[in-house]
Amino acid sequence: MPIDDLVRLRRARDRMDREYEQPLDLPALAATAMMSSGHFSRSFRAAFGETPYGYLMTRRVERAKALLRRGDMTVTEVCWAVGCSSLGSFSSRFTELVGETPSAYRAREHGADEPVPPCYAKIYTRPPRNSGKA
């Protein structure tokens, strides 16, 4: 893959990291990468091992986990706060990635709030990817 394509793909991925709560769709992300939607989707998957939608939902679930651990927001409020427009889709994806429902995750004890270096927090809070699903 040409280096210019990788630079543009990273620009779109960085946008997803920054603006995960915004209504980002495939055409908007493809425009960020200056590619057609089809080429962007195929290239993104080849470069990062998952679809743009899968990557974006992983970002949203990571943020949702942090908001749910705080305990001061309902699951519905968290769903809207992370940019999901459907509570059912959010709950399904959260359960698929985390292994428990958002309500169950919110309700259980999460241990002491000890300071954790960001590099470790990212490793341990990123939901695992299921093989072949996006």
Side-chain angles (χ1 to χ4, degrees):
M1 179 175 298
I3 192 75
D4 291 345
D5 282 358
L6 288 173
V7 169
R8 289 194 300 265
L9 289 168
R10 283 199 349 232
R11 187 178 305 134
R13 187 184 65 180
D14 292 346
R15 182 178 180 193
M16 285 185 259
D17 290 341
R18 281 189 320 273
E19 301 174 21
Y20 63 87
E21 77 285 354
Q22 299 299 317
L24 297 173
D25 60 7
L26 190 61
L29 294 169
T32 299
M34 297 182 287
M35 297 177 177
S36 70
S37 294
H39 182 65
F40 171 72
S41 187
R42 287 186 303 276
S43 298
F44 191 95
R45 186 177 188 105
F48 303 117
E50 61 186 314
T51 65
Y53 176 77
Y55 184 85
L56 179 60
M57 284 306 294
T58 300
R59 292 279 82 68
R60 289 175 172 173
V61 168
E62 285 175 349
R63 182 63 183 143
K65 286 174 67 177
L67 294 174
L68 290 168
R69 281 192 304 270
R70 282 189 355 200
D72 62 342
M73 296 174 76
T74 67
V75 172
T76 302
E77 290 169 334
V78 169
C79 171
W80 306 142
V82 299
C84 293
S85 58
S86 164
L87 182 58
S89 295
F90 167 73
S91 294
S92 294
R93 184 62 119 181
F94 188 98
T95 302
E96 176 185 330
L97 293 175
V98 178
E100 62 185 322
T101 65
S103 298
Y105 185 84
R106 182 179 183 269
R108 76 173 164 82
E109 181 62 37
H110 294 283
D113 292 326
E114 299 175 22
V116 176
C119 56
Y120 286 106
K122 184 174 183 176
I123 291 168
Y124 291 108
T125 61
R126 181 172 174 128
R129 299 296 306 158
N130 292 339
S131 62
K133 292 188 178 180

